[in-house]
Amino acid sequence: MSTTALNDLSRHPIVQAPMAGGGSCPELVGAVCEAGALGFLAGGYKTAGGLYQEIKQVRALTARPFGVNLFMPQSGPHADPAAVEVYRHQLAGEATWYETPLGEDYDCRDDAYDAKLAILLEDPVRVVSFTFGCPEPGTLAAFARAGTFTLVTVTSAEEALAAERAGADAVCVQGVEAGGHQGTYRDDPEDDDTPGTGLLALVTQVRESVGLPIVAAGGIMRGAQIAAVLAAGADAAQLGTAFLGCPESGAHPLHKRALTDPLFTRTAFTRAFSGRPARGLVNRFMREHGPYAPAAYPEVHHLTAPLRKAAATSGDAQGMALWAGQGHRLARELPAGQLVEVLAAELDTALSELAHRSAS
C-alpha cells in the first residue's frame, strides 16, 4: 500500500502506541480514534479470547479504523535455565517483602500468536502491527488479502529492509528514546552496552533505505516534535508515554503520577522486569536487580509478574515496571481526545512556522 493508504486511516498523522500491560485499553483506543488519530490495542500478554473481547469493546466505542499489535514468537534459543534459577533466588527477598510467590517459568514463548492471527484474519481490523520480529511473507500476504494494513516495528535500516522484503505495508521506526520494550528483532545481551540510534537519525537512515511509509516512535510528546519527524521523512508519529497519563489510559494511577513526579529523574533500559531490554523510570527494583537480570524473555516477565502486581496493590511504585520514554516529564493529564486536539494544533502551528521560515 502507499503512503496515502496510511494517512487515510486517520485525520491526523498521530498514532497512539500499543502499550502492553494495560495502558492501551479499549476506552483509550476509542477516545483516540474518535478524536481523529489512530488508536492501537496491545495484544501482548493477553489470551486470544481476551484480545477478541477488547476488539469488540473498541468496535462498540468507535466506527473509525484502529489497530492491534502482536508480539512475534520468540524463536531464538531458550534462556539458560540456570541463569533464570539464579535470578529466582535473587528475587526471594522481594517475594518475602511483598508476601507473594514468584511466578512460574512455563513454556509460553509464542504469546498465543497463531490463535491471535486466526482471530484477526477471520474478523479483520484495519491495521495490525508486529513487534520483536517480522512475520513470514505468507502471513503478511494473508493480511493483505483480508484488507488489513500491516506495520512492522524496526530499530535499524537492516530490519526495515527485511520488513519491506517480507511484504509489510509500512514500518514503525522506533528510536532509542522510546519507552517500554525495544522492538528489535534480535535480543543479544552483547548489545546491552551499545546505545541504540536516536529517532531523527534512524528515520533518515530508514527513509533512504526503503520505500515504505514510516511511522516514527520514540520520545515524542509535543506537536513540534511530530513536525520534526515528518520533516525528517516520516509519514506519521507514534506516541505512547504522551497518552499514558490520560484518564482513559489503563495504566495504574501510581504509574501515571510517576511520569511527572520529581522523585523519578531519569529513564534507563533494564532487563530486571521482563528479561528483555525495556526503558522505564529508574526505581529501586531496577537499580537493585537490573545489573543481574538474565537475557531471558518472557521467562523473567512471568517470574516477576506477581511481584509487580503486589507492588502496585500495596502502593509501592518502587517495585513496579514504570515504562516511560525519555520525554516523560512533558506528560500532560488531558483527556485523550483533548490531547489529540492539542497535539494537532501544535503540529499545525509548527508546520506553519516552518513554511514561513522557508518562504522568508
Side-chain angles (χ1 to χ4, degrees):
M1 290 188 180
S2 66
T3 301
T4 302
L6 170 62
N7 291 337
D8 283 347
L9 294 168
S10 59
R11 188 165 72 251
H12 305 300
I14 299 170
V15 179
Q16 165 250 309
M19 296 171 282
S24 300
C25 60
E27 292 77 12
L28 177 63
V29 176
V32 167
C33 292
E34 284 297 289
L38 180 64
F40 255 94
L41 281 176
Y45 308 137
K46 295 183 176 77
T47 64
L51 176 60
Y52 182 62
Q53 291 302 316
E54 289 201 354
I55 291 172
K56 289 174 61 177
Q57 291 174 44
V58 175
R59 285 174 170 156
L61 294 170
T62 182
R64 299 178 186 273
F66 66 94
V68 171
N69 175 259
L70 299 181
F71 286 169
M72 292 295 298
Q74 302 301 289
S75 57
H78 283 251
D80 179 3
V84 176
E85 191 61 24
V86 168
Y87 196 53
R88 175 184 289 275
H89 284 296
Q90 182 181 339
L91 295 176
E94 300 283 352
T96 301
W97 176 257
Y98 290 116
E99 299 180 339
T100 186
L102 295 170
E104 293 302 318
D105 171 26
Y106 56 92
D107 188 11
C108 52
R109 293 170 64 83
D110 69 349
D111 197 46
Y113 177 72
D114 288 338
K116 292 171 184 176
L117 284 183
I119 287 172
L120 293 169
L121 287 169
E122 183 173 333
D123 190 6
V125 297
R126 288 292 300 279
V127 192
V128 172
S129 68
F130 302 87
T131 301
F132 300 153
C134 183
E136 294 294 323
T139 299
L140 294 170
F143 276 115
R145 290 192 296 272
T148 298
F149 190 89
T150 52
L151 273 163
V152 175
T153 304
V154 301
T155 60
S156 68
E158 292 76 18
E159 291 178 350
L161 283 165
E164 184 176 52
R165 287 193 294 267
D169 291 318
V171 288
C172 179
V173 176
Q174 185 190 44
V176 72
E177 305 93 335
H181 286 95
Q182 282 284 289
T184 179
Y185 294 5
R186 186 181 77 157
D187 180 19
D188 189 340
E190 292 185 3
D191 296 335
D192 285 1
D193 295 328
T194 305
T197 305
L199 181 59
L200 287 177
L202 187 57
V203 166
T204 304
Q205 292 172 17
V206 173
R207 171 51 63 224
E208 295 187 1
S209 300
V210 301
L212 297 177
I214 291 173
V215 177
I220 302 173
M221 304 292 288
R222 296 287 188 265
Q225 293 172 290
I226 299 174
V229 296
L230 296 182
D235 303 287
Q238 178 171 284
L239 294 75
T241 306
F243 285 102
L244 204 57
C246 294
E248 298 92 341
S249 160
H252 193 281
L254 287 174
H255 193 168
K256 294 181 180 183
R257 289 198 294 270
L259 296 175
T260 54
D261 188 336
L263 182 65
F264 300 99
T265 59
R266 65 187 181 93
T267 64
F269 283 120
T270 187
R271 293 182 182 271
F273 297 104
S274 72
R276 222 180 196 276
R279 183 179 294 282
L281 300 173
V282 176
N283 60 3
R284 177 195 60 79
F285 195 101
M286 188 189 296
R287 287 192 297 269
E288 292 183 1
H289 302 294
Y292 312 104
Y297 177 86
E299 290 85 355
V300 170
H301 165 78
H302 293 287
L303 188 66
T304 66
L307 299 177
R308 291 178 274 125
K309 183 178 180 180
T313 300
S314 64
D316 182 11
Q318 295 295 334
M320 298 169 60
L322 304 172
W323 302 138
Q326 287 183 340
H328 65 94
R329 299 298 289 274
L330 298 171
R332 297 179 279 203
E333 296 181 16
L334 296 174
Q338 186 179 345
L339 179 58
V340 171
E341 292 173 0
V342 169
L343 289 167
E346 292 174 344
L347 171 60
D348 287 344
T349 298
L351 293 176
S352 297
E353 290 176 352
L354 287 172
H356 178 72
R357 291 172 189 168
S358 299
S360 60

